[in-house]
Amino acid sequence: MKTWVSLLVGSLLLASTSTAGAQDASRKWGVGTFLSYNVPAFSLKDRFSATSKYGASWQYMLNPKLYIEMEYHRSSFLNGKLAKRPFLWTVDSKNYASPGASSEMKFNGVAANLLIFYPREPTFRANSFAYYLEVGGGFYNYKAENRNFIFPGQTTRPLDPTVVLQPQVDQRTALSLNFGFGVQAFVLHNMAIDLRARHNIVIGDLRPMQAWGVTEKTFPLQMLDIGAGLKFYFWK
């Protein structure tokens, strides 16, 4: 993780020094919105299924091949897998589901991204394409809740489904890193469809749920998102 942070800081410093070569008259900025398919990866996929992710962005040209993008996004994982998963009660060696259980997780995030266009910069002509690499970092505020799970430590038969665990809530703001690639397909000289795929890493964790098969904490939180958005460009 330290390596990624160092690379991100180095890239931002490089971006700040590269603005001298850009002429003020040619600088462009833009705003956009996007909708993505957000897929939990690695250990997070044991808890949740894919969901939607949406947000808005503002970007500014540092030089013809390098843009900085400020992004805000939201995502909610509802109907988590653990709420539907039974546990093995050791007293009678039978599996029991928790009928009133719920498992949810909500994200709000901000990020600063660098869009590195390669092999050529956007031409801002209709029917043209501009390919880019993306690297960024920011912060995710997340809240994960598990509620109304039957207490599996009961020792007296029969199992009482009204005896439940205390609500389990993991909530914090954590550093995030992301990297990916995309293409902007210009519909008009100042409007583009932005297609993007990326890997997101949140330096946060969720506590174990051992009776439901999650024996270790989930760390870090990782997601893949694939989506499309619209970008509208303006001239300074």
Side-chain angles (χ1 to χ4, degrees):
M1 295 304 173
K2 291 182 179 179
T3 301
W4 276 109
V5 173
S6 299
L7 287 173
L8 177 61
V9 172
S11 298
L12 290 173
L13 289 175
L14 176 63
S16 66
T17 60
S18 65
T19 59
Q23 298 178 355
D24 288 347
S26 66
R27 288 181 179 172
K28 301 176 179 67
W29 61 277
V31 294
T33 184
F34 64 88
L35 178 64
S36 301
Y37 187 61
N38 197 18
V39 184
F42 296 96
S43 55
L44 190 60
K45 74 178 186 300
D46 295 332
R47 295 175 180 260
F48 299 104
S49 300
T51 187
S52 61
K53 175 181 178 179
Y54 60 94
S57 64
W58 174 89
Q59 72 178 42
Y60 183 76
M61 186 179 80
L62 300 174
N63 70 43
K65 285 191 175 183
L66 188 64
Y67 285 71
I68 187 168
E69 176 187 72
M70 308 303 295
E71 172 191 337
Y72 168 76
H73 52 259
R74 292 175 60 100
S75 188
S76 297
F77 293 101
L78 306 177
N79 303 315
K81 296 179 180 180
L82 298 186
K84 304 171 186 177
R85 187 179 300 172
F87 69 93
L88 179 67
W89 193 35
T90 56
V91 173
D92 61 7
S93 298
K94 294 182 179 179
N95 289 314
Y96 291 88
S98 300
S102 65
S103 181
E104 302 179 350
M105 189 173 188
K106 297 180 179 180
F107 286 101
N108 283 282
V110 293
N113 307 318
L114 285 178
L115 306 185
I116 307 164
F117 286 89
Y118 181 84
R120 59 182 65 88
E121 67 271 15
T123 61
F124 297 95
R125 291 197 299 264
N127 301 317
S128 66
F129 297 86
Y131 300 89
Y132 63 87
L133 301 175
E134 185 246 26
V135 59
F139 295 93
Y140 270 78
N141 178 270
Y142 66 88
K143 184 177 183 180
E145 299 182 77
N146 293 313
R147 296 182 179 275
N148 298 320
F149 283 75
I150 294 175
F151 176 55
Q154 298 179 48
T155 57
T156 304
R157 299 190 188 195
L159 182 72
D160 186 349
T162 65
V163 180
V164 297
L165 293 170
Q166 289 292 319
Q168 182 190 83
V169 181
D170 292 310
Q171 182 176 14
R172 61 182 55 88
T173 299
L175 177 69
S176 67
L177 304 169
N178 70 83
F179 55 91
F181 58 91
V183 58
Q184 293 189 10
F186 282 84
V187 180
L188 301 172
H189 73 283
N190 67 336
M191 185 177 76
I193 297 173
D194 191 324
L195 305 176
R196 185 180 303 185
R198 59 183 170 179
H199 186 179
N200 303 276
I201 303 172
V202 181
I203 315 303
D205 63 84
L206 303 177
R207 72 189 73 179
M209 291 281 285
Q210 295 186 352
W212 289 267
V214 181
T215 58
E216 298 181 357
K217 69 178 181 180
T218 300
F219 175 85
L221 311 178
Q222 301 189 65
M223 295 159 284
L224 304 174
D225 67 72
I226 303 172
L230 284 177
K231 285 283 179 67
F232 298 91
Y233 286 94
F234 305 89
W235 280 255
K236 183 175 179 181

Short mmCIF file of all heavy atoms in Angstrom, two decimals, residues 100-138:
data_model
loop_
_atom_site.label_atom_id
_atom_site.label_comp_id
_atom_site.label_asym_id
_atom_site.label_seq_id
_atom_site.Cartn_x
_atom_site.Cartn_y
_atom_site.Cartn_z
N GLY A 100 -35.04 -12.80 10.51
CA GLY A 100 -35.14 -11.35 10.53
C GLY A 100 -33.83 -10.63 10.27
O GLY A 100 -33.73 -9.41 10.43
N ALA A 101 -32.80 -11.36 9.83
CA ALA A 101 -31.47 -10.77 9.70
C ALA A 101 -31.38 -9.82 8.51
O ALA A 101 -32.05 -9.99 7.49
CB ALA A 101 -30.42 -11.88 9.55
N SER A 102 -30.55 -8.81 8.65
CA SER A 102 -30.25 -7.91 7.55
C SER A 102 -28.75 -7.60 7.55
O SER A 102 -28.13 -7.50 8.62
CB SER A 102 -31.04 -6.59 7.65
OG SER A 102 -30.66 -5.86 8.79
N SER A 103 -28.19 -7.46 6.35
CA SER A 103 -26.77 -7.15 6.20
C SER A 103 -26.64 -6.13 5.09
O SER A 103 -26.99 -6.41 3.93
CB SER A 103 -25.98 -8.42 5.86
OG SER A 103 -24.60 -8.14 5.73
N GLU A 104 -26.15 -4.93 5.42
CA GLU A 104 -26.08 -3.83 4.46
C GLU A 104 -24.77 -3.07 4.63
O GLU A 104 -24.17 -3.08 5.70
CB GLU A 104 -27.26 -2.87 4.64
CG GLU A 104 -28.62 -3.50 4.49
CD GLU A 104 -29.76 -2.49 4.71
OE1 GLU A 104 -29.47 -1.36 5.14
OE2 GLU A 104 -30.91 -2.87 4.43
N MET A 105 -24.38 -2.40 3.55
CA MET A 105 -23.19 -1.56 3.60
C MET A 105 -23.37 -0.40 2.63
O MET A 105 -23.77 -0.60 1.48
CB MET A 105 -21.94 -2.36 3.25
CG MET A 105 -20.64 -1.63 3.48
SD MET A 105 -19.22 -2.71 3.23
CE MET A 105 -17.90 -1.66 3.82
N LYS A 106 -23.05 0.82 3.11
CA LYS A 106 -23.21 2.01 2.28
C LYS A 106 -21.89 2.76 2.21
O LYS A 106 -21.18 2.88 3.21
CB LYS A 106 -24.32 2.90 2.84
CG LYS A 106 -25.70 2.23 2.81
CD LYS A 106 -26.78 3.15 3.36
CE LYS A 106 -28.14 2.47 3.31
NZ LYS A 106 -29.22 3.33 3.84
N PHE A 107 -21.60 3.27 1.00
CA PHE A 107 -20.36 4.01 0.76
C PHE A 107 -20.68 5.42 0.27
O PHE A 107 -21.58 5.62 -0.54
CB PHE A 107 -19.54 3.33 -0.34
CG PHE A 107 -18.85 2.07 0.08
CD1 PHE A 107 -19.37 0.83 -0.27
CD2 PHE A 107 -17.65 2.11 0.78
CE1 PHE A 107 -18.73 -0.34 0.09
CE2 PHE A 107 -17.00 0.94 1.14
CZ PHE A 107 -17.53 -0.28 0.80
N ASN A 108 -19.90 6.39 0.74
CA ASN A 108 -19.81 7.71 0.16
C ASN A 108 -18.33 7.98 -0.02
O ASN A 108 -17.55 7.78 0.92
CB ASN A 108 -20.43 8.78 1.06
CG ASN A 108 -21.93 8.77 1.01
OD1 ASN A 108 -22.53 9.27 0.06
ND2 ASN A 108 -22.57 8.20 2.03
N GLY A 109 -17.94 8.45 -1.20
CA GLY A 109 -16.52 8.63 -1.44
C GLY A 109 -16.18 9.86 -2.24
O GLY A 109 -16.99 10.36 -3.03
N VAL A 110 -14.99 10.38 -2.01
CA VAL A 110 -14.42 11.45 -2.82
C VAL A 110 -13.03 11.01 -3.26
O VAL A 110 -12.34 10.28 -2.54
CB VAL A 110 -14.34 12.79 -2.04
CG1 VAL A 110 -15.72 13.33 -1.74
CG2 VAL A 110 -13.55 12.63 -0.75
N ALA A 111 -12.63 11.45 -4.45
CA ALA A 111 -11.33 11.05 -4.97
C ALA A 111 -10.77 12.12 -5.89
O ALA A 111 -11.51 12.89 -6.51
CB ALA A 111 -11.45 9.72 -5.73
N ALA A 112 -9.44 12.19 -5.96
CA ALA A 112 -8.73 13.00 -6.93
C ALA A 112 -8.01 12.04 -7.87
O ALA A 112 -7.20 11.22 -7.41
CB ALA A 112 -7.73 13.93 -6.24
N ASN A 113 -8.34 12.09 -9.15
CA ASN A 113 -7.80 11.16 -10.13
C ASN A 113 -6.98 11.88 -11.18
O ASN A 113 -7.28 13.01 -11.55
CB ASN A 113 -8.94 10.40 -10.84
CG ASN A 113 -9.90 9.74 -9.87
OD1 ASN A 113 -9.48 9.15 -8.88
ND2 ASN A 113 -11.19 9.84 -10.14
N LEU A 114 -5.95 11.21 -11.68
CA LEU A 114 -5.21 11.68 -12.84
C LEU A 114 -5.64 10.86 -14.05
O LEU A 114 -5.65 9.62 -13.99
CB LEU A 114 -3.71 11.53 -12.63
CG LEU A 114 -3.03 12.54 -11.71
CD1 LEU A 114 -1.55 12.22 -11.58
CD2 LEU A 114 -3.22 13.96 -12.22
N LEU A 115 -6.03 11.52 -15.12
CA LEU A 115 -6.35 10.86 -16.38
C LEU A 115 -5.18 11.12 -17.33
O LEU A 115 -4.91 12.27 -17.70
CB LEU A 115 -7.65 11.39 -16.97
CG LEU A 115 -8.88 11.37 -16.06
CD1 LEU A 115 -10.12 11.82 -16.83
CD2 LEU A 115 -9.10 9.99 -15.45
N ILE A 116 -4.47 10.06 -17.68
CA ILE A 116 -3.29 10.16 -18.53
C ILE A 116 -3.66 9.64 -19.91
O ILE A 116 -3.78 8.42 -20.11
CB ILE A 116 -2.13 9.36 -17.93
CG1 ILE A 116 -1.88 9.79 -16.47
CG2 ILE A 116 -0.85 9.54 -18.76
CD1 ILE A 116 -1.03 8.83 -15.68
N PHE A 117 -3.86 10.52 -20.87
CA PHE A 117 -4.30 10.12 -22.21
C PHE A 117 -3.11 9.60 -23.01
O PHE A 117 -2.04 10.21 -23.06
CB PHE A 117 -4.96 11.30 -22.92
CG PHE A 117 -6.33 11.60 -22.39
CD1 PHE A 117 -6.51 12.47 -21.32
CD2 PHE A 117 -7.45 10.99 -22.93
CE1 PHE A 117 -7.77 12.74 -20.81
CE2 PHE A 117 -8.72 11.24 -22.43
CZ PHE A 117 -8.88 12.12 -21.37
N TYR A 118 -3.33 8.43 -23.64
CA TYR A 118 -2.26 7.76 -24.38
C TYR A 118 -2.90 6.91 -25.49
O TYR A 118 -3.92 6.28 -25.25
CB TYR A 118 -1.45 6.86 -23.44
CG TYR A 118 -0.31 6.15 -24.11
CD1 TYR A 118 0.92 6.79 -24.28
CD2 TYR A 118 -0.48 4.85 -24.60
CE1 TYR A 118 1.96 6.13 -24.92
CE2 TYR A 118 0.56 4.20 -25.23
CZ TYR A 118 1.78 4.84 -25.38
OH TYR A 118 2.81 4.20 -26.02
N PRO A 119 -2.36 6.92 -26.69
CA PRO A 119 -1.11 7.53 -27.13
C PRO A 119 -1.23 8.99 -27.55
O PRO A 119 -0.24 9.66 -27.79
CB PRO A 119 -0.72 6.67 -28.33
CG PRO A 119 -2.03 6.24 -28.90
CD PRO A 119 -2.94 6.04 -27.73
N ARG A 120 -2.46 9.53 -27.66
CA ARG A 120 -2.61 10.93 -28.08
C ARG A 120 -3.67 11.61 -27.24
O ARG A 120 -4.51 10.96 -26.61
CB ARG A 120 -2.98 11.00 -29.57
CG ARG A 120 -4.29 10.29 -29.92
CD ARG A 120 -4.58 10.36 -31.41
NE ARG A 120 -3.59 9.64 -32.16
CZ ARG A 120 -3.65 8.34 -32.43
NH1 ARG A 120 -4.67 7.62 -31.99
NH2 ARG A 120 -2.72 7.74 -33.11
N GLU A 121 -3.61 12.92 -27.19
CA GLU A 121 -4.54 13.70 -26.40
C GLU A 121 -5.90 13.79 -27.08
O GLU A 121 -6.02 13.55 -28.29
CB GLU A 121 -4.00 15.11 -26.16
CG GLU A 121 -3.91 15.97 -27.41
CD GLU A 121 -2.59 15.84 -28.13
OE1 GLU A 121 -1.84 14.86 -27.85
OE2 GLU A 121 -2.30 16.71 -28.97
N PRO A 122 -6.96 14.16 -26.34
CA PRO A 122 -8.28 14.34 -26.97
C PRO A 122 -8.22 15.43 -28.04
O PRO A 122 -7.58 16.47 -27.86
CB PRO A 122 -9.16 14.77 -25.79
CG PRO A 122 -8.45 14.30 -24.57
CD PRO A 122 -7.00 14.36 -24.88
N THR A 123 -8.89 15.18 -29.15
CA THR A 123 -8.92 16.16 -30.24
C THR A 123 -10.17 17.04 -30.18
O THR A 123 -10.25 18.04 -30.89
CB THR A 123 -8.88 15.45 -31.60
OG1 THR A 123 -10.04 14.60 -31.71
CG2 THR A 123 -7.62 14.62 -31.74
N PHE A 124 -11.15 16.66 -29.37
CA PHE A 124 -12.40 17.41 -29.23
C PHE A 124 -13.10 17.56 -30.57
O PHE A 124 -13.63 18.62 -30.90
CB PHE A 124 -12.15 18.76 -28.56
CG PHE A 124 -11.64 18.63 -27.17
CD1 PHE A 124 -10.28 18.67 -26.91
CD2 PHE A 124 -12.51 18.43 -26.10
CE1 PHE A 124 -9.79 18.52 -25.61
CE2 PHE A 124 -12.04 18.29 -24.80
CZ PHE A 124 -10.67 18.32 -24.57
N ARG A 125 -13.11 16.47 -31.32
CA ARG A 125 -13.85 16.42 -32.58
C ARG A 125 -14.88 15.30 -32.49
O ARG A 125 -14.60 14.22 -31.95
CB ARG A 125 -12.90 16.16 -33.76
CG ARG A 125 -11.97 17.32 -34.07
CD ARG A 125 -11.37 17.18 -35.47
NE ARG A 125 -10.60 15.95 -35.60
CZ ARG A 125 -9.26 15.88 -35.44
NH1 ARG A 125 -8.57 16.98 -35.13
NH2 ARG A 125 -8.63 14.75 -35.58
N ALA A 126 -16.06 15.54 -33.02
CA ALA A 126 -17.10 14.51 -33.02
C ALA A 126 -16.60 13.25 -33.72
O ALA A 126 -15.84 13.33 -34.70
CB ALA A 126 -18.35 15.05 -33.70
N ASN A 127 -17.02 12.09 -33.21
CA ASN A 127 -16.65 10.78 -33.76
C ASN A 127 -15.18 10.44 -33.56
O ASN A 127 -14.63 9.58 -34.24
CB ASN A 127 -17.00 10.69 -35.25
CG ASN A 127 -18.47 10.90 -35.52
OD1 ASN A 127 -19.33 10.38 -34.80
ND2 ASN A 127 -18.79 11.69 -36.54
N SER A 128 -14.51 11.09 -32.60
CA SER A 128 -13.13 10.75 -32.29
C SER A 128 -13.07 10.04 -30.94
O SER A 128 -14.02 10.12 -30.14
CB SER A 128 -12.25 12.00 -32.26
OG SER A 128 -12.63 12.87 -31.18
N PHE A 129 -11.96 9.34 -30.67
CA PHE A 129 -11.79 8.57 -29.45
C PHE A 129 -10.50 8.99 -28.75
O PHE A 129 -9.50 9.27 -29.41
CB PHE A 129 -11.75 7.07 -29.74
CG PHE A 129 -13.02 6.54 -30.34
CD1 PHE A 129 -13.23 6.59 -31.72
CD2 PHE A 129 -14.01 6.01 -29.53
CE1 PHE A 129 -14.40 6.10 -32.27
CE2 PHE A 129 -15.19 5.51 -30.08
CZ PHE A 129 -15.39 5.57 -31.45
N ALA A 130 -10.54 9.01 -27.44
CA ALA A 130 -9.35 9.34 -26.64
C ALA A 130 -9.22 8.30 -25.52
O ALA A 130 -10.12 8.17 -24.69
CB ALA A 130 -9.46 10.74 -26.07
N TYR A 131 -8.11 7.55 -25.52
CA TYR A 131 -7.89 6.49 -24.55
C TYR A 131 -7.02 7.02 -23.40
O TYR A 131 -6.15 7.87 -23.60
CB TYR A 131 -7.21 5.30 -25.21
CG TYR A 131 -8.01 4.72 -26.35
CD1 TYR A 131 -7.85 5.20 -27.65
CD2 TYR A 131 -8.95 3.72 -26.12
CE1 TYR A 131 -8.61 4.69 -28.70
CE2 TYR A 131 -9.71 3.20 -27.16
CZ TYR A 131 -9.53 3.68 -28.45
OH TYR A 131 -10.28 3.18 -29.48
N TYR A 132 -7.26 6.48 -22.19
CA TYR A 132 -6.50 6.98 -21.05
C TYR A 132 -6.31 5.91 -19.98
O TYR A 132 -7.04 4.93 -19.90
CB TYR A 132 -7.20 8.20 -20.43
CG TYR A 132 -8.57 7.93 -19.86
CD1 TYR A 132 -8.74 7.49 -18.55
CD2 TYR A 132 -9.72 8.13 -20.64
CE1 TYR A 132 -10.00 7.25 -18.02
CE2 TYR A 132 -10.98 7.89 -20.13
CZ TYR A 132 -11.12 7.46 -18.81
OH TYR A 132 -12.37 7.20 -18.30
N LEU A 133 -5.27 6.14 -19.17
CA LEU A 133 -5.05 5.41 -17.93
C LEU A 133 -5.47 6.30 -16.78
O LEU A 133 -5.39 7.53 -16.88
CB LEU A 133 -3.57 5.03 -17.79
CG LEU A 133 -2.97 4.17 -18.90
CD1 LEU A 133 -1.47 3.99 -18.67
CD2 LEU A 133 -3.66 2.82 -18.96
N GLU A 134 -5.93 5.68 -15.70
CA GLU A 134 -6.40 6.46 -14.56
C GLU A 134 -5.79 5.95 -13.26
O GLU A 134 -5.69 4.74 -13.05
CB GLU A 134 -7.93 6.39 -14.48
CG GLU A 134 -8.54 7.27 -13.41
CD GLU A 134 -9.20 6.46 -12.31
OE1 GLU A 134 -8.79 5.30 -12.09
OE2 GLU A 134 -10.09 6.97 -11.65
N VAL A 135 -5.31 6.87 -12.43
CA VAL A 135 -4.82 6.52 -11.09
C VAL A 135 -5.28 7.61 -10.14
O VAL A 135 -5.29 8.80 -10.49
CB VAL A 135 -3.29 6.37 -11.06
CG1 VAL A 135 -2.59 7.65 -11.49
CG2 VAL A 135 -2.81 5.93 -9.68
N GLY A 136 -5.72 7.23 -8.96
CA GLY A 136 -6.25 8.23 -8.05
C GLY A 136 -6.28 7.75 -6.61
O GLY A 136 -5.92 6.61 -6.29
N GLY A 137 -6.71 8.63 -5.76
CA GLY A 137 -6.83 8.31 -4.34
C GLY A 137 -7.78 9.27 -3.67
O GLY A 137 -8.06 10.36 -4.20
N GLY A 138 -8.29 8.87 -2.53
CA GLY A 138 -9.22 9.73 -1.81
C GLY A 138 -9.65 9.09 -0.52
O GLY A 138 -8.86 8.42 0.15
#
